[in-house]
Amino acid sequence: MSARGRVSSLLPDFPWDTIASVKAKAATHPGGIVDLSVGTPVDPVDPLIRAALSSASAVPGYPATHGTPELRAAAVDALKRRYGITGLDPAAVLPAIGTKELIAGLPRLLGLGADDLVVIPEVAYPTYQVGALLAGAQVARADGLTQLGPRTPALIYVNSPSNPTGRVLGVDHLRKVVEFARERDVIVASDECYLGLTWDGRAVSILDPEVSDGDHTNLLAVHSLSKTSNLASYRAGFVAGDPALVAELLEVRKHAGMMVPFPIQAAMTAALSDDAHEAQQRERYRVRREVLRKALLEAGFRIDHSEAGLYLWSTRGEPCHTTLDWLADRGILAAPGDFYGPTATEHVRIALTATDERIATAANRLTTR
């Protein structure tokens, strides 16, 4: 291909490709690798959800880009029931083929380009940057609005609870972001995929009345069913918020054929309508978190933030790749902090997404002298 044709040249190396040698080293451990580098679910999909998927598998026609009315109503009800979000119109809900796809495409779908600034957290999920780069937009890392100076961004990403740090932003912080956005006509996209996995304190949505005062103008909340419903393989997510913004996203996605398959929509409806399976999965992660947290502290790690989410943001006070090697010697694979930003070079992200047996194995390896 000519240089003109290589979109990949705009992007950084895919992070997980860069730790292949460390993964290979960890895999040589006699007891096998404990891969804690990714947040992929390992537990079963609930039978209720699988039954809903199967029940819709014979439908031959195209699915609606906007999603079924049942799905959108289930999303509105779940957001109210689980997180206290009120005043959301079902028309302002739009299913997505996984939230990574949505985040990667959002700046372009919103019409951003070279003259536009996208603000992402200082330590952030890499896809925020990727989406801005694919749109040709400018990127700034900032955790505080004063860091932006006189510049007015087109889009601000917030992520609470955070991936990778597990940090939770309080109501006052989120209100300041919303007030800033309203003053300058800025769109705020809040990645809330870990909202249902809060361990210490309370996490709130950008759409929560305490934050938004019930006005969702220019606000988008992104939600995933990958985590507490174990639907990563289903690619099941949705965005909700400002009716006008959602309508614009819908119009563009209709033209592009960006449709969630009908059986997946049925599975999503079932998952959003049932809280029991989600509570069960949350408890699994709570137990694994406690086992791993105790072992890391005993092994001399410090755990920062990590009030929520599926990760323990951990450090030994040394370069993250030195820690990665230390863990690999024990057959454990983690994600280095520099995947997530230039200020995170002394941390590693250690996931809770492994079976009970593998978590116990990791804990034993960490604490065996």
Side-chain angles (χ1 to χ4, degrees):
M1 293 178 67
S2 68
R4 179 183 176 187
R6 293 196 199 100
V7 176
S8 62
S9 67
L10 302 173
L11 307 177
D13 293 336
F14 186 67
W16 277 264
D17 290 346
T18 67
I19 58 170
S21 62
V22 181
K23 183 176 183 178
K25 179 180 179 181
T28 65
H29 192 281
I33 189 172
V34 181
D35 190 345
L36 305 179
S37 68
V38 291
T40 188
V42 298
D43 299 303
V45 176
D46 191 272
L48 178 81
I49 299 170
R50 295 176 63 190
L53 179 79
S54 178
S55 72
S57 63
V59 175
Y62 288 109
T65 306
H66 201 181
T68 65
E70 294 80 9
L71 170 57
R72 289 183 278 114
V76 169
D77 290 344
L79 291 176
K80 181 178 180 180
R81 191 174 63 247
R82 296 173 182 176
Y83 309 125
I85 297 170
T86 58
L88 184 63
D89 186 338
V93 175
L94 178 63
I97 312 161
T99 53
K100 184 170 185 174
E101 168 265 311
L102 179 71
I103 289 167
L106 187 61
R108 188 69 192 96
L109 290 171
L110 292 171
L112 274 57
D115 294 332
D116 295 306
L117 177 66
V118 176
V119 177
I120 67 174
E122 290 183 31
V123 180
Y125 181 49
T127 310
Y128 307 141
Q129 180 187 28
V130 166
L133 294 174
L134 287 173
Q138 304 164 48
V139 183
R141 292 181 181 268
D143 287 342
L145 299 172
T146 57
Q147 294 172 261
L148 300 178
R151 294 181 294 176
T152 296
L155 173 65
I156 297 174
Y157 278 109
V158 293
N159 178 208
S160 176
S162 164
N163 173 18
T165 69
R167 180 187 178 197
V168 172
L169 300 177
V171 170
D172 289 346
H173 182 114
L174 292 172
R175 283 188 66 89
K176 287 178 182 177
V177 174
V178 170
E179 289 166 5
F180 175 92
R182 285 176 178 162
E183 289 170 0
R184 305 195 187 192
D185 193 25
V186 177
I187 296 169
V188 179
S190 179
D191 181 353
E192 301 176 356
C193 291
Y194 298 92
L195 198 60
L197 292 165
T198 303
W199 314 114
D200 300 319
R202 174 177 174 245
V204 297
S205 170
I206 200 80
L207 304 181
D208 190 296
E210 290 186 54
V211 175
S212 68
D213 293 327
D215 179 2
H216 299 161
T217 304
N218 274 8
L219 305 181
L220 294 172
V222 179
H223 283 258
S224 170
L225 280 72
S226 293
K227 309 307 178 184
T228 52
S229 291
N230 296 329
L231 297 188
S233 72
Y234 285 47
R235 309 314 301 131
F238 64 92
V239 62
D242 183 338
L245 286 178
V246 171
E248 173 64 12
L249 294 173
L250 171 62
E251 194 64 25
V252 178
R253 291 173 72 87
K254 285 193 298 186
H255 282 286
M258 301 172 80
M259 300 173 284
V260 175
F262 186 80
I264 302 297
Q265 293 191 34
M268 291 174 67
T269 303
L272 289 164
S273 300
D274 176 74
D275 295 338
H277 78 280
E278 189 190 46
Q280 181 184 42
Q281 187 58 43
R282 187 183 186 282
E283 178 61 14
R284 289 187 184 117
Y285 285 134
R286 187 197 65 78
V287 172
R288 291 169 187 165
R289 177 180 183 270
E290 190 58 20
V291 170
L292 205 50
R293 186 188 69 84
K294 287 179 178 178
L296 286 166
L297 293 174
E298 186 176 333
F301 283 79
R302 187 182 79 237
I303 299 172
D304 292 330
H305 301 303
S306 305
E307 300 97 348
L310 286 179
Y311 314 102
L312 293 170
W313 188 237
S314 309
T315 180
R316 283 162 39 99
E318 63 190 8
C320 58
H321 288 273
T322 302
T323 305
L324 219 61
D325 283 333
W326 186 92
L327 290 167
D329 286 338
R330 290 153 180 81
I332 301 169
L333 184 66
D338 59 11
F339 276 11
Y340 306 98
T343 64
T345 56
E346 290 192 353
H347 283 80
V348 293
R349 192 194 75 169
I350 299 177
L352 310 178
T353 47
T355 64
D356 293 344
E357 182 274 329
R358 288 285 88 184
I359 292 290
T361 297
N364 183 61
R365 292 177 187 177
L366 287 164
T367 55
T368 299
R369 299 291 183 242

